[in-house]
Amino acid sequence: MHFDHARLLAAWKAAGDTTDAAVARRLEINPATAWRLRNGVSRPSSATLARIERAYGITAGELFGGAR
């Protein structure tokens, strides 16, 4: 399943979260995790996906190549 990394970055940018620290605060995750997500080193866990949906309004389906 393809992970749409660019879509995640666009959602972060649209919300004004331009640093790993800002993303980490909003998602309540470790800044190192935010860095790994930002740089495409890892995919979000299911718990982080739920936080992304609440914080940025982007669904897991949208991030994994589903509906827009």
Side-chain angles (χ1 to χ4, degrees), residues 11-64:
W12 289 358
K13 183 178 178 181
D17 290 343
T18 58
T19 66
D20 296 334
V23 170
R25 275 192 304 274
R26 188 182 299 259
L27 295 179
E28 299 178 356
I29 60 175
N30 188 293
T33 301
W35 181 90
R36 286 191 296 275
L37 292 171
R38 180 180 302 280
N39 290 288
V41 175
S42 65
R43 295 178 177 190
S45 67
S46 58
T48 302
L49 278 172
R51 290 177 172 145
I52 289 169
E53 186 167 355
R54 285 191 305 271
Y56 298 103
I58 186 168
T59 68
E62 291 170 325
L63 288 174
F64 283 94

